[in-house]
Amino acid sequence: VQLQASGGGLVQAGGSLRLSCAASGRVNSIISMGWYRQAPGKQRELVAVIASDGNTGYADSVKGRFTISGDNAKNTVFLQMSSLKPDDTAVYYCNTVTTVPPFDYWGQGTQVTVSS
C-alpha cells in the first residue's frame, strides 16, 4: 500500500486546515487509516483513526476540534482540523493497517505549523 498525504501548511491559532491521505495498491486489505503527529523532541502520537467499519477514535487533546472521515470510493482519509493551537504544530503522518499481509504503512509527513 502506498500513501500520499497532502494539506499541511502554516495557519494562525484558531484557524483550520484539512489534511488528505490517499491510499493505493492493496487497499482491499485495509482495516484502518489514521493520522499521527510528531513534534520536535517528542514521540510520535496518535491523533485520530478511522476503522473500515466507520468507527473513529481521537486523542483527548484533539477531541471536539479535529474530525477524521473517509471516502471509501477514493480510498482517501481526511483530517479536518479546527480551532488549531500552537501545540498542534508537528509533522503529521498518515498511517494504514492491513490484514493481508498484516502490516503498518506510513505516508510521508506533512508539516503543520500553527502560529500564535
Side-chain angles (χ1 to χ4, degrees):
V1 176
Q2 296 79 44
L3 300 173
Q4 182 67 44
S6 61
L10 173 64
V11 65
Q12 288 189 331
S16 299
L17 280 175
R18 190 174 86 150
L19 305 183
S20 301
C21 178
S24 60
R26 298 188 65 169
V27 297
N28 288 339
S29 65
I30 290 176
I31 57 172
S32 71
M33 293 186 72
W35 290 93
Y36 287 70
R37 67 187 181 187
Q38 187 166 19
K42 295 187 177 181
Q43 289 187 331
R44 190 173 296 189
E45 63 176 0
L46 174 68
V47 176
V49 62
I50 183 166
S52 55
D53 62 3
N55 285 329
T56 59
Y58 297 91
D60 287 343
S61 59
V62 306
K63 282 180 182 177
R65 300 188 298 121
F66 291 12
T67 302
I68 190 168
S69 61
D71 182 336
N72 289 338
K74 297 182 179 180
N75 301 309
T76 301
V77 65
F78 305 97
L79 184 68
Q80 179 66 46
M81 304 184 292
S82 303
S83 301
L84 283 160
K85 306 174 181 179
D87 283 350
D88 295 318
T89 295
V91 177
Y92 284 69
Y93 295 92
C94 180
N95 167 269
T96 188
V97 177
T98 60
T99 54
V100 181
F103 204 75
D104 227 346
Y105 294 89
W106 296 91
Q108 89 284 8
T110 184
Q111 178 71 46
V112 171
T113 303
V114 184
S115 62
S116 57

